[in-house]
Amino acid sequence: MKSMLRILGRYVGSAAGIALILLILNAALFLLWVTGAKQENGNSYRVSVIADGLAKEGEEYTLADSARQAMSVRYEWAMLLSDSGEILWSLNLPRELSRTYTIPEVASFTKWYLQDYPVYVWRHQDGLLVVGCPKGSVWKTGMEMPQSIMDKTILWIPIVLAANGLAAVLLALLLGLRLFRSMHTLVKGIEQMAAKQPVQLGTNGVLGELAAALNQTSRELQRQEIALQKREQARTSWIAGISHDIRTPLSMVMGYASQLEDNQELPRPAREQAGIVRQQSQRIKTLVNDLNLASKLEYDMQPLHQEEVLLAPLLRQIAADFLNGGLARPYSLELDVGESARQAKVLGDQELLRRAVYNLIQNSIRHNPQGCAIRITLERVNSCWVMAVADNGKGFDQELLDRLKEENSLTGMPSHGLGLTLVRQIARVHEGTTEFENLPEGGCRVVINLPPSS
Amino acid sequence: MNTIFDCKLLLVDDEPDLRGMLVEILHKEGFQRVRTAASCQQAKELFQTEQPQVVILDVSLPDGDGFSLMSEFRSISAVPVLFLSARDEDENRLLGLGLGADDYITKPFLPRELLLRLKAVLTRTYFPPTLRQSKKPLFRLGEAVVDLNSALVTRPQGQVTLTAKEYILLAKLYENRGSIVTGDSLCRAVWGDDLYGYENTLMVHIRRLREKIEPEPSSPRYLLTVRGLGYKLTGVVEK
């Protein structure tokens, strides 16, 4: 919206600028024209020169050379009228003109034309000198203005200019608003599109074609969105289907393997092998469950059983479960709940959070068969709860670490990092983040940052 | 019916191999009266004729689902039902348990787990422990003998009585002897909730308890502190 207002402002501003430039240009042209006219007009005063150059020598009038030259510049003919209206002297007088003039005639042509010849008069000692220009060479008009208006001219000019400027700006604003309105719908359409909502804009007006293109794009996006959702759903149900179908055969494997393991009639090595089969099938079971959960979390299909979860008791219970479950040398497990995090509480799914921490501890155990010291910490950092599981084992492969750091989805899921991917997803559905890192002193650490419940 | 092994079982699952395996496992464990069905129809017929005392039921069956089958059974008898399902979605588990199932086991499962749960259900239903066992445990911790019936500790120096809270603590620790019990669950056992802040009170009670059962309370040998987690009762000798 802000940018729209800026566009409108620029639009109006530029319109005002254009008006100003036009004004200046017009003023300049006017000045130019006026000076040009003045130059031409300057000759008219040479009527006096002509008058001065006309002198009576005896009975004859002669025109001085300088007057003759002044005459030739602009005038075609000349005559000198006596006080009684008779021609005393003439030069190139057109035939159609009368030879005597009454006072009304003189009065009328003095200001305007004499039979379409533009004429000028000048007082001569013997009468009135009349010079004429060629027909059609001069446009004469009389100007009259009430004195009161002429007095206000200085005031009027800026008012007129201001009115012009204002009109230009208002017109620009009006047109700009119309453009703004049609652009506004487009902008809203684009915003809607960004929010993945279907867009159907009217295609009238200046920007109709653009709106139609937007509609088209929106339809295409919607189509893709639906296709994507379908594919995601298909993939989730595919994974769910596989993990479902795997359960019955795996039941058999686990069942018979543990039967063989418990069968005292079998030789010891055979029972041990059966035990390995049983353990490995339990691993497959965990993997299948993780895969199913990961795929559900990936597509946000897992309804979160939201409740207030106290993190410290949860971590203590998990640690106690591991220790009670027979975690012993060469492993050690330590829990450190910081003073500030004793009351740590989040809104979330207790089982998922348990799963995340469980996976991390299990990961440390599995990848360090030679043993390691596992340390779980819980602290408050910048109003976030920070759970971390660290060990002093061999750490992550660089390749795995790189892939874990990429914030991507199941598609780039490391084949042996499913449990860790699940941790990341669990953090994400709790609006938290994860960090995976190798420690400089050896071993690795996974940090889960969780926002506190309000 | 003298023991849980005399119970008549009805096992409903459409997978013949799994049925075979389960029958074998159940037989081996001592359950001799196991009937199997592969479909709802068959299960209903067997239910009528055999009147089983417990049903192990698959959820997905070729001609219906286990949930409605259970409802049908339940409408004519209070027989305990355990679900054995390949569906592990919480909704399914909750649906099954919500309908009144006695347990819900997801495939794949360890036979031992199934047997333990089955026995638990049967014991609860047909041999309730309240009737069977009214006697509370009696055990020895080194030279001290703890009798939870009378909340009495007998030591060479003489007898001491446990307070109510000490009794609950010791009983809880005894139930989980050899394992760590978190401070939170001890608080929950004593005060009924896991509100934090009982920590110091708990420590006080533990110290008093140690004075009653430990030969040297300052360096405990039986009631051990597991730093940051809770407590553990070791060296229990059953009497």
Side-chain angles (χ1 to χ4, degrees), chain A residues 408-437:
Chain A
N408 59 7
S409 60
L410 277 177
T411 45
M413 193 158 60
S415 54
H416 54 302
L418 179 56
L420 296 177
T421 307
L422 194 57
V423 170
R424 193 173 62 194
Q425 284 171 327
I426 289 172
R428 198 156 57 197
V429 297
H430 286 89
E431 286 159 17
T433 57
T434 41
E435 293 156 34
F436 300 88
E437 60 189 10

PDB file of all heavy atoms in Angstrom, chain A residues 408-437:
ATOM      1  N   ASN A 408      15.729 -28.663   4.716  1.00  0.00           N
ATOM      2  CA  ASN A 408      14.810 -29.190   3.700  1.00  0.00           C
ATOM      3  C   ASN A 408      14.013 -30.366   4.244  1.00  0.00           C
ATOM      4  O   ASN A 408      14.035 -30.649   5.429  1.00  0.00           O
ATOM      5  CB  ASN A 408      15.553 -29.544   2.426  1.00  0.00           C
ATOM      6  CG  ASN A 408      16.615 -30.580   2.684  1.00  0.00           C
ATOM      7  OD1 ASN A 408      16.706 -31.121   3.777  1.00  0.00           O
ATOM      8  ND2 ASN A 408      17.410 -30.855   1.692  1.00  0.00           N
ATOM      9  N   SER A 409      13.339 -31.005   3.341  1.00  0.00           N
ATOM     10  CA  SER A 409      12.297 -31.934   3.783  1.00  0.00           C
ATOM     11  C   SER A 409      12.724 -33.381   3.639  1.00  0.00           C
ATOM     12  O   SER A 409      13.905 -33.694   3.530  1.00  0.00           O
ATOM     13  CB  SER A 409      11.070 -31.674   2.946  1.00  0.00           C
ATOM     14  OG  SER A 409      11.418 -31.894   1.604  1.00  0.00           O
ATOM     15  N   LEU A 410      11.741 -34.228   3.628  1.00  0.00           N
ATOM     16  CA  LEU A 410      11.980 -35.658   3.487  1.00  0.00           C
ATOM     17  C   LEU A 410      12.757 -35.992   2.226  1.00  0.00           C
ATOM     18  O   LEU A 410      13.482 -36.979   2.184  1.00  0.00           O
ATOM     19  CB  LEU A 410      10.635 -36.388   3.404  1.00  0.00           C
ATOM     20  CG  LEU A 410       9.933 -36.714   4.710  1.00  0.00           C
ATOM     21  CD1 LEU A 410       8.606 -37.364   4.392  1.00  0.00           C
ATOM     22  CD2 LEU A 410      10.770 -37.657   5.519  1.00  0.00           C
ATOM     23  N   THR A 411      12.603 -35.154   1.203  1.00  0.00           N
ATOM     24  CA  THR A 411      13.229 -35.477  -0.085  1.00  0.00           C
ATOM     25  C   THR A 411      14.731 -35.590   0.054  1.00  0.00           C
ATOM     26  O   THR A 411      15.351 -36.401  -0.612  1.00  0.00           O
ATOM     27  CB  THR A 411      12.891 -34.396  -1.123  1.00  0.00           C
ATOM     28  OG1 THR A 411      13.072 -33.136  -0.495  1.00  0.00           O
ATOM     29  CG2 THR A 411      11.464 -34.520  -1.589  1.00  0.00           C
ATOM     30  N   GLY A 412      15.300 -34.750   0.916  1.00  0.00           N
ATOM     31  CA  GLY A 412      16.747 -34.822   1.070  1.00  0.00           C
ATOM     32  C   GLY A 412      17.121 -35.561   2.339  1.00  0.00           C
ATOM     33  O   GLY A 412      18.160 -35.308   2.918  1.00  0.00           O
ATOM     34  N   MET A 413      16.245 -36.453   2.763  1.00  0.00           N
ATOM     35  CA  MET A 413      16.445 -37.086   4.054  1.00  0.00           C
ATOM     36  C   MET A 413      17.624 -38.029   4.027  1.00  0.00           C
ATOM     37  O   MET A 413      17.697 -38.908   3.190  1.00  0.00           O
ATOM     38  CB  MET A 413      15.185 -37.854   4.424  1.00  0.00           C
ATOM     39  CG  MET A 413      15.142 -38.283   5.832  1.00  0.00           C
ATOM     40  SD  MET A 413      13.454 -38.561   6.299  1.00  0.00           S
ATOM     41  CE  MET A 413      12.984 -39.824   5.147  1.00  0.00           C
ATOM     42  N   PRO A 414      18.577 -37.844   4.921  1.00  0.00           N
ATOM     43  CA  PRO A 414      19.716 -38.754   4.940  1.00  0.00           C
ATOM     44  C   PRO A 414      19.238 -40.146   5.327  1.00  0.00           C
ATOM     45  O   PRO A 414      18.387 -40.287   6.204  1.00  0.00           O
ATOM     46  CB  PRO A 414      20.617 -38.178   6.035  1.00  0.00           C
ATOM     47  CG  PRO A 414      19.965 -36.954   6.538  1.00  0.00           C
ATOM     48  CD  PRO A 414      18.588 -36.874   5.998  1.00  0.00           C
ATOM     49  N   SER A 415      19.771 -41.140   4.648  1.00  0.00           N
ATOM     50  CA  SER A 415      19.244 -42.494   4.843  1.00  0.00           C
ATOM     51  C   SER A 415      19.449 -42.961   6.283  1.00  0.00           C
ATOM     52  O   SER A 415      18.640 -43.688   6.817  1.00  0.00           O
ATOM     53  CB  SER A 415      19.921 -43.446   3.879  1.00  0.00           C
ATOM     54  OG  SER A 415      21.317 -43.344   4.038  1.00  0.00           O
ATOM     55  N   HIS A 416      20.545 -42.539   6.920  1.00  0.00           N
ATOM     56  CA  HIS A 416      20.741 -43.003   8.289  1.00  0.00           C
ATOM     57  C   HIS A 416      20.540 -41.867   9.276  1.00  0.00           C
ATOM     58  O   HIS A 416      21.056 -41.879  10.363  1.00  0.00           O
ATOM     59  CB  HIS A 416      22.108 -43.659   8.456  1.00  0.00           C
ATOM     60  CG  HIS A 416      23.239 -42.800   8.008  1.00  0.00           C
ATOM     61  ND1 HIS A 416      23.327 -42.310   6.744  1.00  0.00           N
ATOM     62  CD2 HIS A 416      24.319 -42.332   8.663  1.00  0.00           C
ATOM     63  CE1 HIS A 416      24.422 -41.591   6.644  1.00  0.00           C
ATOM     64  NE2 HIS A 416      25.031 -41.572   7.779  1.00  0.00           N
ATOM     65  N   GLY A 417      19.784 -40.868   8.850  1.00  0.00           N
ATOM     66  CA  GLY A 417      19.527 -39.762   9.770  1.00  0.00           C
ATOM     67  C   GLY A 417      18.052 -39.552   9.996  1.00  0.00           C
ATOM     68  O   GLY A 417      17.619 -38.470  10.364  1.00  0.00           O
ATOM     69  N   LEU A 418      17.279 -40.610   9.775  1.00  0.00           N
ATOM     70  CA  LEU A 418      15.824 -40.461   9.894  1.00  0.00           C
ATOM     71  C   LEU A 418      15.424 -39.991  11.281  1.00  0.00           C
ATOM     72  O   LEU A 418      14.598 -39.102  11.442  1.00  0.00           O
ATOM     73  CB  LEU A 418      15.164 -41.792   9.543  1.00  0.00           C
ATOM     74  CG  LEU A 418      13.643 -41.835   9.646  1.00  0.00           C
ATOM     75  CD1 LEU A 418      13.022 -40.759   8.804  1.00  0.00           C
ATOM     76  CD2 LEU A 418      13.136 -43.193   9.230  1.00  0.00           C
ATOM     77  N   GLY A 419      16.061 -40.608  12.285  1.00  0.00           N
ATOM     78  CA  GLY A 419      15.732 -40.245  13.662  1.00  0.00           C
ATOM     79  C   GLY A 419      15.996 -38.770  13.913  1.00  0.00           C
ATOM     80  O   GLY A 419      15.240 -38.100  14.603  1.00  0.00           O
ATOM     81  N   LEU A 420      17.087 -38.250  13.309  1.00  0.00           N
ATOM     82  CA  LEU A 420      17.451 -36.844  13.513  1.00  0.00           C
ATOM     83  C   LEU A 420      16.501 -35.927  12.747  1.00  0.00           C
ATOM     84  O   LEU A 420      16.133 -34.861  13.232  1.00  0.00           O
ATOM     85  CB  LEU A 420      18.888 -36.608  13.060  1.00  0.00           C
ATOM     86  CG  LEU A 420      19.941 -37.377  13.864  1.00  0.00           C
ATOM     87  CD1 LEU A 420      21.319 -37.149  13.292  1.00  0.00           C
ATOM     88  CD2 LEU A 420      19.899 -36.968  15.318  1.00  0.00           C
ATOM     89  N   THR A 421      16.124 -36.376  11.542  1.00  0.00           N
ATOM     90  CA  THR A 421      15.152 -35.592  10.786  1.00  0.00           C
ATOM     91  C   THR A 421      13.860 -35.464  11.569  1.00  0.00           C
ATOM     92  O   THR A 421      13.243 -34.405  11.614  1.00  0.00           O
ATOM     93  CB  THR A 421      14.880 -36.278   9.436  1.00  0.00           C
ATOM     94  OG1 THR A 421      16.121 -36.497   8.797  1.00  0.00           O
ATOM     95  CG2 THR A 421      14.000 -35.416   8.571  1.00  0.00           C
ATOM     96  N   LEU A 422      13.506 -36.563  12.222  1.00  0.00           N
ATOM     97  CA  LEU A 422      12.287 -36.554  13.024  1.00  0.00           C
ATOM     98  C   LEU A 422      12.408 -35.538  14.166  1.00  0.00           C
ATOM     99  O   LEU A 422      11.467 -34.804  14.467  1.00  0.00           O
ATOM    100  CB  LEU A 422      12.056 -37.955  13.579  1.00  0.00           C
ATOM    101  CG  LEU A 422      10.686 -38.229  14.158  1.00  0.00           C
ATOM    102  CD1 LEU A 422       9.614 -37.954  13.133  1.00  0.00           C
ATOM    103  CD2 LEU A 422      10.605 -39.657  14.632  1.00  0.00           C
ATOM    104  N   VAL A 423      13.593 -35.487  14.751  1.00  0.00           N
ATOM    105  CA  VAL A 423      13.822 -34.515  15.825  1.00  0.00           C
ATOM    106  C   VAL A 423      13.579 -33.096  15.303  1.00  0.00           C
ATOM    107  O   VAL A 423      12.892 -32.289  15.929  1.00  0.00           O
ATOM    108  CB  VAL A 423      15.266 -34.633  16.361  1.00  0.00           C
ATOM    109  CG1 VAL A 423      15.576 -33.478  17.305  1.00  0.00           C
ATOM    110  CG2 VAL A 423      15.460 -35.958  17.067  1.00  0.00           C
ATOM    111  N   ARG A 424      14.129 -32.843  14.118  1.00  0.00           N
ATOM    112  CA  ARG A 424      13.975 -31.506  13.546  1.00  0.00           C
ATOM    113  C   ARG A 424      12.499 -31.193  13.289  1.00  0.00           C
ATOM    114  O   ARG A 424      12.017 -30.106  13.558  1.00  0.00           O
ATOM    115  CB  ARG A 424      14.772 -31.429  12.241  1.00  0.00           C
ATOM    116  CG  ARG A 424      14.922 -30.026  11.740  1.00  0.00           C
ATOM    117  CD  ARG A 424      15.851 -29.956  10.563  1.00  0.00           C
ATOM    118  NE  ARG A 424      15.321 -30.730   9.467  1.00  0.00           N
ATOM    119  CZ  ARG A 424      16.042 -31.074   8.411  1.00  0.00           C
ATOM    120  NH1 ARG A 424      17.299 -30.740   8.336  1.00  0.00           N
ATOM    121  NH2 ARG A 424      15.507 -31.772   7.442  1.00  0.00           N
ATOM    122  N   GLN A 425      11.793 -32.204  12.782  1.00  0.00           N
ATOM    123  CA  GLN A 425      10.376 -31.970  12.487  1.00  0.00           C
ATOM    124  C   GLN A 425       9.561 -31.768  13.752  1.00  0.00           C
ATOM    125  O   GLN A 425       8.645 -30.951  13.780  1.00  0.00           O
ATOM    126  CB  GLN A 425       9.825 -33.149  11.699  1.00  0.00           C
ATOM    127  CG  GLN A 425      10.285 -33.111  10.260  1.00  0.00           C
ATOM    128  CD  GLN A 425       9.925 -34.374   9.548  1.00  0.00           C
ATOM    129  OE1 GLN A 425       9.903 -35.443  10.157  1.00  0.00           O
ATOM    130  NE2 GLN A 425       9.669 -34.282   8.271  1.00  0.00           N
ATOM    131  N   ILE A 426       9.920 -32.525  14.785  1.00  0.00           N
ATOM    132  CA  ILE A 426       9.176 -32.363  16.041  1.00  0.00           C
ATOM    133  C   ILE A 426       9.397 -30.964  16.586  1.00  0.00           C
ATOM    134  O   ILE A 426       8.468 -30.292  17.032  1.00  0.00           O
ATOM    135  CB  ILE A 426       9.588 -33.454  17.050  1.00  0.00           C
ATOM    136  CG1 ILE A 426       9.054 -34.804  16.589  1.00  0.00           C
ATOM    137  CG2 ILE A 426       9.055 -33.120  18.445  1.00  0.00           C
ATOM    138  CD1 ILE A 426       9.542 -35.977  17.386  1.00  0.00           C
ATOM    139  N   ALA A 427      10.659 -30.503  16.502  1.00  0.00           N
ATOM    140  CA  ALA A 427      10.931 -29.131  16.950  1.00  0.00           C
ATOM    141  C   ALA A 427      10.110 -28.154  16.129  1.00  0.00           C
ATOM    142  O   ALA A 427       9.532 -27.210  16.643  1.00  0.00           O
ATOM    143  CB  ALA A 427      12.416 -28.822  16.825  1.00  0.00           C
ATOM    144  N   ARG A 428      10.035 -28.421  14.822  1.00  0.00           N
ATOM    145  CA  ARG A 428       9.348 -27.484  13.952  1.00  0.00           C
ATOM    146  C   ARG A 428       7.849 -27.420  14.245  1.00  0.00           C
ATOM    147  O   ARG A 428       7.268 -26.344  14.254  1.00  0.00           O
ATOM    148  CB  ARG A 428       9.588 -27.869  12.492  1.00  0.00           C
ATOM    149  CG  ARG A 428       9.281 -26.749  11.538  1.00  0.00           C
ATOM    150  CD  ARG A 428      10.021 -26.878  10.252  1.00  0.00           C
ATOM    151  NE  ARG A 428       9.742 -28.144   9.611  1.00  0.00           N
ATOM    152  CZ  ARG A 428      10.491 -28.657   8.648  1.00  0.00           C
ATOM    153  NH1 ARG A 428      11.546 -28.019   8.229  1.00  0.00           N
ATOM    154  NH2 ARG A 428      10.181 -29.806   8.101  1.00  0.00           N
ATOM    155  N   VAL A 429       7.218 -28.566  14.481  1.00  0.00           N
ATOM    156  CA  VAL A 429       5.782 -28.499  14.777  1.00  0.00           C
ATOM    157  C   VAL A 429       5.521 -27.840  16.131  1.00  0.00           C
ATOM    158  O   VAL A 429       4.408 -27.455  16.424  1.00  0.00           O
ATOM    159  CB  VAL A 429       5.061 -29.873  14.713  1.00  0.00           C
ATOM    160  CG1 VAL A 429       5.124 -30.449  13.324  1.00  0.00           C
ATOM    161  CG2 VAL A 429       5.618 -30.843  15.728  1.00  0.00           C
ATOM    162  N   HIS A 430       6.579 -27.694  16.929  1.00  0.00           N
ATOM    163  CA  HIS A 430       6.434 -26.937  18.181  1.00  0.00           C
ATOM    164  C   HIS A 430       6.931 -25.512  18.004  1.00  0.00           C
ATOM    165  O   HIS A 430       7.204 -24.826  18.985  1.00  0.00           O
ATOM    166  CB  HIS A 430       7.214 -27.618  19.302  1.00  0.00           C
ATOM    167  CG  HIS A 430       6.548 -28.857  19.801  1.00  0.00           C
ATOM    168  ND1 HIS A 430       6.780 -30.094  19.270  1.00  0.00           N
ATOM    169  CD2 HIS A 430       5.617 -29.045  20.768  1.00  0.00           C
ATOM    170  CE1 HIS A 430       6.048 -30.988  19.888  1.00  0.00           C
ATOM    171  NE2 HIS A 430       5.318 -30.388  20.801  1.00  0.00           N
ATOM    172  N   GLU A 431       7.068 -25.113  16.751  1.00  0.00           N
ATOM    173  CA  GLU A 431       7.558 -23.771  16.414  1.00  0.00           C
ATOM    174  C   GLU A 431       8.944 -23.515  16.981  1.00  0.00           C
ATOM    175  O   GLU A 431       9.300 -22.385  17.323  1.00  0.00           O
ATOM    176  CB  GLU A 431       6.583 -22.695  16.902  1.00  0.00           C
ATOM    177  CG  GLU A 431       5.346 -22.651  16.021  1.00  0.00           C
ATOM    178  CD  GLU A 431       4.170 -22.011  16.713  1.00  0.00           C
ATOM    179  OE1 GLU A 431       4.393 -21.330  17.713  1.00  0.00           O
ATOM    180  OE2 GLU A 431       3.049 -22.220  16.234  1.00  0.00           O
ATOM    181  N   GLY A 432       9.703 -24.572  17.099  1.00  0.00           N
ATOM    182  CA  GLY A 432      11.073 -24.445  17.579  1.00  0.00           C
ATOM    183  C   GLY A 432      12.059 -24.711  16.465  1.00  0.00           C
ATOM    184  O   GLY A 432      11.685 -24.927  15.317  1.00  0.00           O
ATOM    185  N   THR A 433      13.324 -24.658  16.818  1.00  0.00           N
ATOM    186  CA  THR A 433      14.365 -24.917  15.824  1.00  0.00           C
ATOM    187  C   THR A 433      15.366 -25.918  16.382  1.00  0.00           C
ATOM    188  O   THR A 433      15.390 -26.182  17.579  1.00  0.00           O
ATOM    189  CB  THR A 433      15.129 -23.628  15.481  1.00  0.00           C
ATOM    190  OG1 THR A 433      15.673 -23.105  16.685  1.00  0.00           O
ATOM    191  CG2 THR A 433      14.225 -22.603  14.839  1.00  0.00           C
ATOM    192  N   THR A 434      16.165 -26.458  15.484  1.00  0.00           N
ATOM    193  CA  THR A 434      17.198 -27.396  15.917  1.00  0.00           C
ATOM    194  C   THR A 434      18.542 -26.958  15.368  1.00  0.00           C
ATOM    195  O   THR A 434      18.614 -26.324  14.318  1.00  0.00           O
ATOM    196  CB  THR A 434      16.910 -28.819  15.395  1.00  0.00           C
ATOM    197  OG1 THR A 434      16.452 -28.717  14.058  1.00  0.00           O
ATOM    198  CG2 THR A 434      15.893 -29.519  16.231  1.00  0.00           C
ATOM    199  N   GLU A 435      19.579 -27.318  16.088  1.00  0.00           N
ATOM    200  CA  GLU A 435      20.941 -27.091  15.588  1.00  0.00           C
ATOM    201  C   GLU A 435      21.711 -28.386  15.773  1.00  0.00           C
ATOM    202  O   GLU A 435      21.645 -29.014  16.824  1.00  0.00           O
ATOM    203  CB  GLU A 435      21.628 -25.987  16.396  1.00  0.00           C
ATOM    204  CG  GLU A 435      21.016 -24.613  16.223  1.00  0.00           C
ATOM    205  CD  GLU A 435      21.315 -23.719  17.410  1.00  0.00           C
ATOM    206  OE1 GLU A 435      22.416 -23.852  17.989  1.00  0.00           O
ATOM    207  OE2 GLU A 435      20.435 -22.920  17.771  1.00  0.00           O
ATOM    208  N   PHE A 436      22.422 -28.758  14.723  1.00  0.00           N
ATOM    209  CA  PHE A 436      23.256 -29.950  14.796  1.00  0.00           C
ATOM    210  C   PHE A 436      24.701 -29.502  14.669  1.00  0.00           C
ATOM    211  O   PHE A 436      25.024 -28.722  13.777  1.00  0.00           O
ATOM    212  CB  PHE A 436      22.924 -30.907  13.648  1.00  0.00           C
ATOM    213  CG  PHE A 436      21.496 -31.378  13.658  1.00  0.00           C
ATOM    214  CD1 PHE A 436      20.508 -30.634  13.017  1.00  0.00           C
ATOM    215  CD2 PHE A 436      21.140 -32.542  14.301  1.00  0.00           C
ATOM    216  CE1 PHE A 436      19.187 -31.050  13.026  1.00  0.00           C
ATOM    217  CE2 PHE A 436      19.814 -32.967  14.318  1.00  0.00           C
ATOM    218  CZ  PHE A 436      18.833 -32.227  13.681  1.00  0.00           C
ATOM    219  N   GLU A 437      25.559 -29.965  15.553  1.00  0.00           N
ATOM    220  CA  GLU A 437      26.951 -29.520  15.444  1.00  0.00           C
ATOM    221  C   GLU A 437      27.893 -30.561  16.016  1.00  0.00           C
ATOM    222  O   GLU A 437      27.523 -31.367  16.865  1.00  0.00           O
ATOM    223  CB  GLU A 437      27.136 -28.184  16.168  1.00  0.00           C
ATOM    224  CG  GLU A 437      26.791 -28.274  17.641  1.00  0.00           C
ATOM    225  CD  GLU A 437      26.753 -26.913  18.310  1.00  0.00           C
ATOM    226  OE1 GLU A 437      26.806 -25.899  17.600  1.00  0.00           O
ATOM    227  OE2 GLU A 437      26.673 -26.878  19.550  1.00  0.00           O
TER     228      GLU A 437
END
